[in-house]
Amino acid sequence: MCILVTKASREDPEGDVAKDCRRVCRQDQGNSFWVPSSPQEMANFVLHTTFMGTENSSDVTNSRARRLGDAIGSYHLSIKIDLMVKSVLQVFQITTGHMPRFASRGGTMNEDLALQNIQARLRMVMAYLMAQLLPWVRGRSGFLLVLGSANVDEGLRGYMTKYDCSSADLNPIGAISKGDLKRMLIFLSKEYPGFEMLGEIANAPPTAELRPIDAATATAEAGHSQTDEEDMGMSYEELGYFGRLRKIARCGPVSMFRKLLVTWSHLAPTEVAAKVKRFFFYYSVNRHKMTTITPAYHAEGYSPDDNRFDLRQFLYNTRWTRQFAVIDDIVAQHPETDKDKDKND
């Protein structure tokens, strides 16, 4: 946007685009012909970015965020929120007499998930604080809108915390799948000089960085031992298939399984069935998260946003008793299943 607006403003400093640019950048008082000298100058007026890290965050991701901020020209801050996390946990300990631990340090999975969620939710709190006060810090009036960063696949799978960085005023990528988003970033990295960082980010293994780093399993590319796809039990590519079939093709578990038997013919029917069942379990058990999702730019027909574009119910029988039984019957009668039995015999 900043590239297009800057170009149009410089071509016609008295035009409507230039006037709107001056108004948005608060440069419309006393300098009637001001236009940004570069897209980065305009971005510095309108876009504020923050890397809200903890002791569980990697230097690799922090570096990517900083270099991306430099490339696009945003007003960028690197923030450590460990003090906030520790304060909340201390209040919990004083109240209950218990202190949760990560699973890798002897805690239960409930404790582990709670420790991840509190980091995510405090990022939302800090984001809104920054949105209200950064204009004041910079000697300006007004306030900022908070932009969300959750994509379609995270919403479908429920791989997100309610009221975390997915909660915002607007979400520019909330109706785009991870696969399409990755392709868009790679295109932009090649289309616009100086934005090569987008390609590096697109090809980096996605990671939430909410658990302690295990140095033995951390990769150089991710910088962390925790990866999204391992946590989810499915790949983003698979979620892309699930999302399109669920919304655009109007598929439930059985019809999705039938279609994927053909699309994923290289997989055994039992494996396809397991993937479909796993998706529909997590989709249904986390569907309630979609009722509070941030309004998104409606870019595609596969959006799971049930407030505006997807009016399906949000309470399901998460066991899908009848549908999963039908899938099991199809698997049992499939010729490939008989071949597998013969091999085992």
Side-chain angles (χ1 to χ4, degrees), residues 70-232:
D70 290 342
I72 63 179
S74 66
Y75 181 87
H76 183 77
L77 296 172
S78 291
I79 306 169
K80 283 287 189 181
I81 63 169
D82 290 306
L83 184 60
M84 297 172 66
V85 176
K86 290 176 181 176
S87 296
V88 171
L89 291 176
Q90 285 175 357
V91 171
F92 178 84
Q93 185 180 34
I94 292 170
T95 305
T96 66
H98 293 78
M99 176 63 79
R101 295 175 296 172
F102 285 102
S104 61
R105 296 175 179 174
T108 64
M109 286 309 299
N110 275 353
E111 294 172 68
D112 191 284
L113 188 59
L115 289 171
Q116 293 186 66
N117 286 343
I118 193 59
Q119 296 171 71
R121 289 187 172 118
L122 287 174
R123 285 171 178 160
M124 183 202 72
V125 174
M126 179 57 75
Y128 273 96
L129 179 65
M130 290 291 174
Q132 284 190 289
L133 292 182
L134 279 183
W136 168 69
V137 168
R138 301 185 70 185
R140 301 171 182 176
S141 60
F143 57 89
L144 305 171
L145 293 177
V146 177
L147 301 181
S149 60
N151 58 63
V152 159
D153 296 334
E154 291 166 343
L156 275 176
R157 169 59 175 74
Y159 186 67
M160 54 191 284
T161 301
K162 239 180 180 179
Y163 308 115
D164 68 345
C165 57
S166 65
S167 296
D169 297 311
L170 295 169
N171 188 347
I173 63 171
I176 307 175
S177 71
K178 193 78 167 184
D180 285 345
L181 184 61
K182 181 177 180 178
R183 284 185 283 272
M184 183 175 71
L185 291 178
I186 292 174
F187 166 78
L188 293 174
S189 71
K190 297 175 180 177
E191 183 73 9
Y192 296 107
F195 284 6
E196 292 79 12
M197 266 303 305
L198 294 175
E200 180 183 336
I201 291 170
N203 291 311
T207 170
E209 298 193 344
L210 296 173
R211 289 193 180 111
I213 299 174
D214 182 354
T217 57
T219 63
E221 293 80 9
H224 206 282
S225 52
Q226 179 185 13
T227 61
D228 290 1
E229 293 184 342
E230 184 178 346
D231 278 356
M232 293 189 299

Side-chain angles (χ1 to χ4, degrees), residues 39 41 50 53 63 74 122 129 131 137 144 169 175 177 188 207 230 238 242 250 253 279-280 315 320 331:
E41 184 183 8
T50 58
S63 171
S74 66
L122 287 174
L129 179 65
V137 168
L144 305 171
D169 297 311
S177 71
L188 293 174
T207 170
E230 184 178 346
E238 290 170 345
F242 296 145
R250 302 289 195 273
F279 165 71
F280 271 99
L315 292 177
W320 300 86
V331 170

Side-chain angles (χ1 to χ4, degrees), residues 1-10 21 25 34-46 70-74 195:
M1 181 199 74
C2 290
I3 292 174
L4 297 175
V5 171
T6 299
K7 182 175 182 294
S9 298
R10 295 187 67 79
C21 179
C25 295
W34 178 89
V35 293
S37 60
S38 66
Q40 286 76 12
E41 184 183 8
M42 181 181 177
N44 191 261
F45 279 104
V46 301
D70 290 342
I72 63 179
S74 66
F195 284 6

